Amino acid sequence: MPRTPMALLSPADQVRLRALRRMKAVALGALIFMAVVFVIAFAFQERQPWLAYVRAAAEGGMVGALADWFAVTALFRRPLGLPIPHTAIIPNRKDEIGRTLGEFVETNFLEASVVRTKLASTAIAKRAGEWLREPAHAERVAAEGATIATAVLNALSDDDVRDLITDLAREHLVSPEWGPPAGAWLEKIVEADAHHGAVDLAADSIARWLDANAESFSGLISRRLPGWVPKLAHRFVDDTAYNEAVKFVRAVQADPKHPARIAVDGYLARLADSLQNDPATRAKLENAKASLFDSPRVGALAAEAWDTAKNGLLTALADPDSGLRVRAAQALQEIGDRLTTDAALQHRVDTWVSDAAVFLVDRYRHDIASIITDTVERWDPVETTEKIELMVGRDLQYIRLNGTFVGALAGLAIFTIAHLLIPGV
């Protein structure tokens, strides 16, 4: 009988324990009943000869009850505490039972053909789609995903993330040399005349600025003239400079072959070549790059960007009405709709799930089955015995009960046959 206090058992185990005790009492009651019948029949069989048959039946019933009691008890403990061989089988062979159970599961359940056959008969994608297309289910999945994402973000150390960003930036941005790839990229742009649009944009921007900032030229040049130059000449010089600047920009805008454009083309071509082949130019670019990334302000901006992104994500994940959560739920519903209606997608998903499951089973079947073996090995023998007895003990008591009645019938049959074959016995 399990020795674990009722208060420590789960509600389901408490129900099993009460049922086990009840069946043990019934089986014991059947044995006592047979013993009482045997005593009465034995005492009065000389007066009433027919009681000999009753005595034989009761005797057989007692033998069957005691034999089955011994057999059932020997599974879990030593009957009457006696060191009888091949008793207390479960506690003594607990580890072997665990290994055997693990091998059974590995061989008969974690087998590729079994898994594939089962998954092939299950419309996984369609069922998932039908469940996911329901708004409440999609919102639930989005909420669970938000909870997981929030937990991950909160678990991340800000310092570790900043260090990771810094390491990645150094590995992929700072350490590689920029000159040759930048020069090759710029060379292709110049050869394809793709930079003309940028030149046009620059010219247009300068023209708009000149149109809106004519007063900025007041005194730009005239304040550098000698003091004896008349004021009227000052205004003339400034206006002339402004008008020439406007005229120059207008000419650049209007003439695709303007010398300034040609000069820009030549400069960019020379720069592309220098970035690829001139060590001095490449060194200047690398120094500028290093100075930029080593700047404290750049590091502060990176840390600030992470903090802003993290806080924004946490706020959006925590709000069920945020655009992120609403869009995630809508996307999940759309996926559910497609999984429900798109037969080709269903086939692809089902095939992918089956292949993934078979791969995992083939690769990790022994590791999965070892969970059973390792778990059973960690169990205390007494605790293991109690767990198993609570699970199957009630049904085993029926063996005792059946043994009582089968023994009684066998005793009666043997006694009757013996009297028929050997009269006078």
Side-chain angles (χ1 to χ4, degrees):
M1 183 71 66
R3 293 177 293 179
T4 304
M6 285 284 287
L8 300 181
L9 296 175
S10 66
D13 283 343
Q14 292 179 16
V15 173
R16 295 188 185 101
L17 180 57
R18 286 192 291 268
L20 173 60
R21 287 173 174 172
R22 187 162 52 248
M23 282 307 304
K24 282 189 173 183
V26 171
L28 178 60
L31 173 59
I32 294 173
F33 173 76
M34 289 296 175
V36 171
V37 171
F38 173 79
V39 170
I40 294 174
F42 185 81
F44 295 99
Q45 65 179 347
E46 292 185 0
R47 300 180 187 177
Q48 301 291 335
W50 61 270
L51 287 176
Y53 291 90
V54 176
R55 185 213 68 195
E59 188 175 10
M62 287 191 298
V63 172
L66 290 171
D68 287 342
W69 166 82
F70 182 89
V72 171
T73 303
L75 288 173
F76 304 104
R77 57 189 60 84
R78 298 187 184 279
L80 303 176
L82 300 175
I84 303 172
H86 303 294
T87 58
I89 294 173
I90 290 176
N92 289 334
R93 301 180 62 186
K94 170 181 67 70
D95 294 346
E96 183 179 349
I97 293 172
R99 286 192 296 272
T100 303
L101 181 59
E103 292 173 0
F104 175 78
V105 171
E106 179 179 354
T107 304
N108 295 278
F109 293 93
L110 300 178
E111 204 277 325
S113 61
V114 175
V115 174
R116 190 178 292 279
T117 300
K118 178 60 179 176
L119 293 177
S121 64
T122 306
I124 299 175
K126 185 176 182 180
R127 290 186 180 182
E130 291 174 348
W131 186 87
L132 198 56
R133 71 191 303 184
E134 297 293 331
H137 296 162
E139 291 172 4
R140 178 182 173 184
V141 174
E144 294 296 335
T147 301
I148 295 173
T150 299
V152 171
L153 287 173
N154 287 328
L156 290 175
S157 169
D158 291 342
D159 292 336
D160 292 341
V161 172
R162 295 187 190 108
D163 292 341
L164 176 62
I165 293 174
T166 301
D167 293 341
L168 291 174
R170 290 195 176 279
E171 179 180 355
H172 299 286
L173 295 177
V174 180
S175 296
E177 189 176 3
W178 283 13
W185 176 74
L186 181 59
E187 184 178 25
K188 291 180 180 179
I189 291 177
V190 173
E191 290 177 352
D193 294 333
H195 64 291
H196 288 171
V199 175
D200 292 340
L201 178 62
D204 293 342
S205 299
I206 294 172
R208 285 195 298 270
W209 184 87
L210 289 173
D211 292 340
N213 297 276
E215 67 279 1
S216 298
F217 277 77
S218 297
L220 182 65
I221 298 176
S222 60
R223 63 172 171 262
R224 293 176 174 79
L225 297 176
W228 50 266
V229 177
K231 295 294 183 181
L232 182 62
H234 287 202
R235 178 64 181 273
F236 176 78
V237 169
D238 290 336
D239 289 346
T240 301
Y242 173 75
N243 292 330
E244 288 298 323
V246 171
K247 187 185 299 181
F248 175 79
V249 173
R250 294 279 188 266
V252 171
Q253 286 180 300
D255 185 6
K257 299 297 184 180
H258 193 277
R261 289 179 177 269
I262 295 174
V264 170
D265 293 346
Y267 170 76
L268 292 178
R270 291 191 300 274
L271 178 61
D273 180 71
S274 298
L275 287 172
Q276 297 180 79
N277 303 305
D278 182 23
T281 303
R282 288 160 58 177
K284 289 180 182 179
L285 178 62
E286 293 302 314
N287 291 335
K289 178 188 68 176
S291 299
L292 174 64
F293 281 98
D294 290 338
S295 169
R297 180 55 182 162
V298 173
L301 287 174
E304 183 179 348
W306 162 248
D307 292 338
T308 302
K310 177 182 177 180
N311 293 331
L313 280 173
L314 289 174
T315 301
L317 291 171
D319 183 7
D321 297 324
S322 67
L324 178 62
R325 288 276 295 272
V326 171
R327 185 65 191 116
Q330 291 174 348
L332 290 169
Q333 282 186 259
E334 293 171 1
I335 293 173
D337 287 334
R338 285 204 60 195
L339 287 173
T340 305
T341 58
D342 190 337
L345 180 61
Q346 291 174 10
H347 178 71
R348 288 198 300 271
V349 172
D350 289 342
T351 301
W352 180 84
V353 172
S354 297
D355 291 343
V358 169
F359 170 79
L360 292 174
V361 165
D362 280 341
R363 190 175 183 87
Y364 300 107
R365 57 188 297 183
H366 181 71
D367 296 322
I368 297 171
S370 67
I371 295 175
I372 300 173
T373 303
D374 296 342
T375 301
V376 174
E377 287 180 352
R378 288 194 299 269
W379 283 351
D380 177 75
V382 175
E383 181 184 358
T384 304
T385 302
E386 292 181 356
K387 286 180 180 291
I388 297 176
E389 187 174 10
L390 282 176
M391 286 294 186
V392 301
R394 178 176 178 272
D395 294 324
L396 291 178
Q397 298 311 308
Y398 282 103
I399 295 177
R400 294 176 55 189
L401 196 59
N402 292 336
T404 302
F405 294 112
V406 172
L409 294 175
L412 178 60
I414 293 171
F415 184 80
T416 301
I417 292 173
H419 276 70
L420 290 175
L421 296 179
I422 309 176
V425 175

